[in-house]
Structure formats: structure tokens, C-alpha cells
Amino acid sequence: MEEATLSFKARAERALTDPTLKIAIDRTTGTAERKRAVAMSQFPQFDAARERGKRIKDHVIANLDHYLLEFERNAIASGAKVYWAATAEEASQIVVRLCKEAGAKRVTRVKSMLGEEIGLPHALDEAGIERVETDLAEHIVQLGGDRPSHIVWPSMHRTREQVSEMFKRLHRAPHQEETIEAMVDSARRELRDKFLSADVAISGANFLIADTGATCTVTNEGNAELTTTPPRVHIVTAGIEKLVPSMGHAIAMLRLLVRSATGADVTQYTTFHCGPKQPGDRDGPDEFHIVLVDNGRTRMLREGLKEMLRCIRCGACMNHCVVFRQLGGHVYGGTYPGPMGAVLTPVFDGLEKSRDLPHACTMNGKCQEVCPVAIPLPTLLRGWRDRSWREGLEPASVRFGLGMHAFFALRPGLYRMATAIAIRVMRLFSRGGVVRGMPGLGAWTAYREFPAPAKRSFMEMYKDQENQR
């Protein structure tokens, strides 16, 4: 069965039974968590920087119309052409049309989650235009016919052993040694001539600079620069929330983005593009196009989700999410995985189709704790849960179960009696400190242990302490 047709619970069950996936997730998110911790220990100004980043984004969101018009005006003055897309379909259509007008047979693409969001890879393939993913991880995703499973490390669902086998099978001149360096060299040999022969380059933007009309890309491989420099045409697709007022504000946001995403002080390559090649320039595109995409963002402003527009796509929330680290990114079913995806996917796909995502959260708050712009992700997820209840989207079994809980909770004596009986029953099924084989707990104990209840309850110990006073 195709992954897209499975329910969230079915995808989660598949992920939980895949031991190789767990190895791949642990390698990537574990490394990311450790590197971020080191970076933050060496950045004592983080709290102040985060507060400033939050204020910058909130200011832009509150004045979005002003900064969008300022950016458009300055981008046009630099020689760029600016297009507005209300939906994902419209954005993809604009990009495909520009490629066809350029007579493009081959396009190179820099990793961009906005491109994934608007379905651009599929649209280019449908148009018969050869698409070359130039980011190493996206190259792996393309070779495997996958979807990205992480917004920073799209191929984190594959181990390096799996990647090695894939390169040997699909590269023209594969590596001979089982080292990361040899595999990277194999990818370079596969991609280098495609960089130089592409007709159109397509990139995203980490930030849009309103007072200059420039776009900013952040990478660690240099593929963005190789992608955007040789072709005649450069097309940028970016969400309208990517705006910052000035270069100074962009630098402030970059300090947060890089440390939160990869645990580094700065990335290897931070590049600002401002219009097409000018007289006297030695390289650069002859045409520079910018497609500004709404696709639900203004609706988020109206529907109480404006804090989510602060997101700078660092991936820290998913690297620290206990659910993501058990399941990986594909189980979320949408473009964006993890806590941020659980908030965003109902916007793009509708709550009825994705109501399981806000419920797949322990509400431990770690995502908000590590977010570099302090997005209240648990609060936003609770908002989706409330809406799902109000709109009658919860299954009858869930509504019945919560109704029963409310019935007992409103009757303290009955509640205490029921919990006392439940605890005694659980003790009957306890072996070695965990509950085993108890009816009704199969969904939990199939993949993890359920701890046996303590010999005495908290209320029993509390009463004894009160009686001793």
C-alpha cells in the first residue's frame, strides 16, 4: 500500500517496527541535539537574541503588507521580476511557465521546503523538465524516489550503509571505498556537469530583505552558489513570512538559525542575491525572478496561528521531540514533520485529514523550550485539538471515553473507588516492574513498557503524612 494512503496510526506502526529507521533517526537527531547544546553553552546571549528574534518576526507579521510592498519595490528596482501566488498550485504554475519561456530542458534546484510545499518537484516532472536536486541529501531523496523526512536533513531516514548501496547502484562512477568522503566525491562527479549545463536555477530563500529587495540562502555545501550562478535564469520561491526589514535584522536571525539548526556559529555559505547580472559583473543570471507565496499564511493570521509565522525552519523542534525521534518524519504525511508540521499540516491539508497530528504530542513543551523564536507550539497544538472537538471530528470512541472520564472526575468518591480498583487489577498483571498482557493496554505495550503502579498511591502516602502531624 502506498504510504500516502495509510493512516497516521498505520504509518506510525510501520515506523515503530523498522529497526533500521530508528538507527538512522538516532544518529541524526542525537548528533543535532548534542551539537546544539554545545553551541548554546558557548552563546550566553541566546535568551536575549531569541527575544530580539521574536520581536523582529512579530513586528514584520504585524506590518506584513508594508514590508511586502517595500520588498517588491526594491526587488524590481534591482532588476528582478516579482510574482504573487495565492496558492501552491498557482506558485508551481508560475515557476513551470517561467521555465518553459526560458526553453529549459534541465533545471537545478537548491533544497527548499517551500518548493516541496507547493509541489514543485512533481510539477516540473509532469512538465517534462529534467529536475536535478543539488543538495546532497535531496540528491539521495531523489535517487530513492522518497520524500524529505526532515527540513534540514531530508534523507535522515536512510543510513549511510543504505546510501552507499544506492550510490553504487545508480551513480555513473560510484565510490570504491566505504567512507563518507568517497561517497561525497561520487555525488560530486554525478552532479558537477549538471550544474554547468542547467538552463534554469531554482532556489528558496531563508530570508527576504525588505529594504534592498535581496534574498538570502544558507547552505553548508556550496551547492546553492553552484546552482544559481551558471544558468541564464534564477527563480526564487519564498513564503511571504520570510521577510525581515533590513540586513541587520537578517544577521540577527542568522545567529539564531544556524546555532539551532546545525549547532554551528555560522554556515559555510551565506549568500545574498540582489537582482540579475549587472554591467561589469563577471557571472550571475541574466534573469532573476521571485515568486512570493501565500498558500494559507494570511489565513493563519486570521485564525489565531500568527505565532507560527515566526518559524525560521531550523528543525530544532523535531530534533528534540520525543515522538519524532521514535517515528521519523514520513509518518506525519505532510511537507513539514515534527511539532511544526503538526501545526502547519492542518492549515495546508485541512484538519479533517490531519487531526491525528495535533494529538500525536506528549505536550512536554521541549519544542517550545528550544525554539529560537519562542513559538508556543504546545498552545497551538491544543488549539487544533479544541477545534477538532468543536467541529465534531473526534471519533465516537474518543468522545465516549472522555465522557466516561468526565462522569467519574465530577464524582470524587466514585473516581477514587474506580482508580483503586484499576490499580489493583494492574498489579495482577505486573511482572518485573512492568504491566504485561493486560487487556486494554495492548496499543501501549506493543512497542513500550507500561510501568507497574507503586505499592501505595500518592493519596495514601499523603493521608499518612497528614495523620502524623
Side-chain angles (χ1 to χ4, degrees):
M1 184 180 292
E2 289 293 328
E3 188 83 12
T5 64
L6 296 175
S7 67
F8 172 81
K9 291 180 180 178
R11 293 194 298 267
E13 184 173 354
R14 176 183 289 185
L16 287 168
T17 56
D18 185 346
T20 304
L21 176 63
K22 189 67 172 68
I23 292 171
I25 295 171
D26 286 345
R27 283 177 179 175
T28 304
T29 58
T31 300
E33 183 179 27
R34 290 190 295 273
K35 291 180 69 176
R36 181 193 177 277
V38 172
M40 293 306 163
S41 70
Q42 299 171 352
F43 186 41
Q45 308 90 345
F46 173 70
D47 288 338
R50 177 161 71 168
E51 179 59 27
R52 185 185 181 195
K54 174 178 173 291
R55 291 200 310 268
I56 291 170
K57 294 299 291 184
D58 284 348
H59 170 75
V60 171
I61 293 165
N63 300 277
L64 192 58
D65 52 349
H66 166 78
Y67 286 111
L68 283 170
L69 293 175
E70 181 181 6
F71 175 81
E72 179 189 38
R73 182 173 61 252
N74 290 320
I76 292 173
S78 73
K81 295 181 180 179
V82 179
Y83 309 82
W84 300 85
T87 65
E89 294 76 14
E90 186 179 357
S92 287
Q93 289 169 4
I94 291 170
V95 175
V96 170
R97 174 170 57 80
L98 291 172
C99 290
K100 288 182 175 179
E101 289 175 355
K105 293 181 174 58
R106 171 181 289 170
V107 302
T108 46
R109 201 171 83 94
V110 184
K111 178 171 74 69
S112 164
M113 294 309 298
L114 189 280
E116 300 291 335
E117 176 190 320
I118 64 176
L120 186 54
H122 178 71
L124 291 168
D125 295 344
E126 285 288 302
I129 299 171
E130 182 188 356
R131 169 179 57 93
V132 180
E133 299 292 342
T134 64
D135 177 85
L136 178 58
E138 286 283 3
H139 174 62
I140 294 167
V141 168
Q142 185 175 22
L143 287 180
D146 298 328
R147 294 183 298 109
S149 58
H150 192 288
I151 65 172
V152 178
W153 297 283
S155 63
M156 64 158 285
H157 55 284
R158 291 189 180 273
T159 65
R160 57 177 169 266
E161 292 83 4
Q162 291 174 321
V163 172
S164 175
E165 187 278 328
M166 183 188 301
F167 281 8
K168 287 180 177 179
R169 181 164 44 87
L170 298 174
H171 279 180
R172 292 168 295 179
H175 57 288
Q176 301 299 317
E177 299 177 8
E178 292 300 324
T179 65
I180 293 175
E181 292 79 7
M183 286 189 279
V184 170
D185 286 342
S186 176
R188 284 176 176 154
R189 289 191 294 272
E190 189 74 12
L191 292 172
R192 187 54 58 93
D193 64 320
K194 297 178 181 179
F195 281 118
L196 301 175
S197 61
D199 304 298
V200 172
I202 303 174
S203 74
N206 292 94
F207 300 105
L208 303 171
I209 320 300
D211 68 352
T212 62
T215 68
C216 173
T217 58
V218 178
T219 67
N220 277 311
E221 300 172 20
N223 63 296
E225 290 66 32
L226 275 172
T227 296
T228 58
T229 302
R232 296 176 288 107
V233 179
H234 179 187
I235 303 171
V236 178
T237 59
I240 56 176
E241 84 285 5
K242 293 290 187 177
L243 283 161
V244 292
S246 69
M247 179 68 76
H249 295 98
I251 298 302
M253 301 307 299
L254 285 167
R255 297 178 75 201
L256 293 167
L257 170 63
V258 180
R259 287 177 170 87
S260 298
T262 63
D265 293 337
V266 293
T267 55
Q268 302 294 331
Y269 302 92
T270 300
T271 304
F272 295 87
H273 300 274
C274 194
K277 181 168 57 178
Q278 301 297 320
D281 288 349
R282 299 186 63 179
D283 53 35
D286 298 324
E287 299 177 23
F288 191 68
H289 304 272
I290 303 171
V291 183
L292 298 174
V293 183
D294 184 335
N295 196 35
R297 286 158 175 79
T298 53
R299 191 170 77 250
M300 291 168 67
L301 284 172
R302 298 192 302 270
E303 297 182 359
L305 293 166
K306 66 179 181 180
E307 293 95 343
M308 197 63 219
L309 295 175
R310 292 181 200 154
C311 182
I312 56 176
R313 307 296 195 262
C314 69
C317 62
M318 56 193 72
N319 295 336
H320 294 76
C321 174
V322 295
V323 177
F324 180 92
R325 292 181 65 161
Q326 293 297 318
L327 303 177
H330 286 156
V331 300
Y332 290 85
T335 301
Y336 301 102
M340 61 172 292
V343 175
L344 287 172
T345 301
V347 175
F348 301 138
D349 297 346
L351 182 58
E352 186 173 0
K353 294 181 180 178
S354 53
R355 58 158 294 278
D356 281 327
L357 300 186
H359 290 78
C361 175
T362 66
M363 293 293 170
N364 64 55
K366 188 68 174 178
C367 52
Q368 180 175 346
E369 180 184 331
V370 300
C371 176
V373 285
I375 299 172
L377 288 159
T379 301
L380 298 178
L381 289 169
R382 280 193 294 270
W384 280 125
R385 291 183 180 185
D386 291 344
R387 181 170 169 179
S388 180
W389 182 268
R390 293 195 309 270
E391 295 182 1
L393 301 178
E394 301 302 313
S397 59
V398 172
R399 302 183 79 88
F400 174 79
L402 288 174
M404 290 297 295
H405 176 79
F407 176 82
F408 283 97
L410 291 170
R411 295 163 176 80
L414 195 58
Y415 183 86
R416 285 193 291 271
M417 182 179 72
T419 53
I421 293 172
I423 288 172
R424 283 170 172 77
V425 172
M426 290 173 68
R427 285 173 182 158
L428 296 176
F429 290 90
S430 299
R431 300 289 187 279
V434 297
V435 177
R436 302 178 188 276
M438 180 175 170
L441 286 182
W444 182 285
T445 58
Y447 304 108
R448 55 204 181 279
E449 295 179 338
F450 195 100
K455 292 182 179 179
R456 304 185 67 218
S457 71
F458 172 81
M459 291 303 298
E460 289 172 339
M461 291 187 287
Y462 178 75
K463 285 181 181 179
D464 286 349
Q465 189 176 32
E466 288 293 296
N467 293 334
Q468 293 172 7
R469 289 182 178 179

